[in-house]
Amino acid sequence: MEFKHEIKGQILALRLTGDLIGEDNGAAIIEVVTDALQKKVPICIVDISGLRYINSAGIGVLITILTKFRNKNGEVYLMKPSESVQKLLVITKLNNIFHIVQSESEVIK
């Protein structure tokens, strides 16, 4: 899996591509999240449109991101899940925990 990140004002934008299966990238993503929270960034948008697959370790990474932001009164948005990832979110009922959006403009509203 590969990921890119940037801070745009009050938003941390993460773009994940490939397979989110924990591995070493999970720790690197959490490090980026921690740095953003130290800079008082309250919102995280995780673009998951490029994810093909997520396993339980990958779900753990997403939940860790959500927990860290909510503990600081922030919020996490998952953007544009693919059909297979959307099905996984529904099966695991994570669609009830995360805000799922189709564009950044939905978050800015």
Side-chain angles (χ1 to χ4, degrees):
M1 189 214 48
E2 294 180 13
F3 78 96
K4 295 179 181 176
H5 69 281
E6 70 175 308
I7 295 175
K8 303 175 185 176
Q10 295 293 299
I11 298 173
L12 169 63
L14 291 170
R15 180 173 176 78
L16 311 180
T17 55
D19 298 333
L20 182 56
I21 55 174
E23 51 189 38
D24 295 336
N25 289 342
I29 292 169
I30 300 307
E31 190 175 311
V32 166
V33 166
T34 301
D35 289 346
L37 287 168
Q38 288 174 347
K39 295 175 183 171
K40 309 273 190 242
V41 175
I43 297 171
C44 179
I45 299 174
V46 185
D47 183 346
I48 57 173
S49 61
L51 285 182
R52 295 180 302 239
Y53 175 76
I54 303 176
N55 71 0
S56 58
I59 289 171
V61 170
L62 293 177
I63 291 172
T64 300
I65 294 169
L66 180 68
T67 301
K68 284 183 167 289
F69 269 90
R70 287 197 177 161
N71 284 344
K72 299 286 187 180
N73 296 316
E75 195 53 72
V76 175
Y77 298 85
L78 300 181
M79 188 170 71
K80 296 189 269 186
S82 66
E83 187 176 329
S84 62
V85 171
Q86 178 67 35
K87 286 179 184 176
L88 177 70
L89 294 172
V90 170
I91 289 168
T92 58
K93 301 200 184 303
L94 291 175
N95 62 323
N96 296 326
I97 298 170
F98 285 95
H99 296 286
I100 300 173
V101 297
Q102 295 302 312
S103 69
E104 283 187 31
S105 61
E106 287 182 55
V107 175
I108 294 168
K109 289 178 189 178

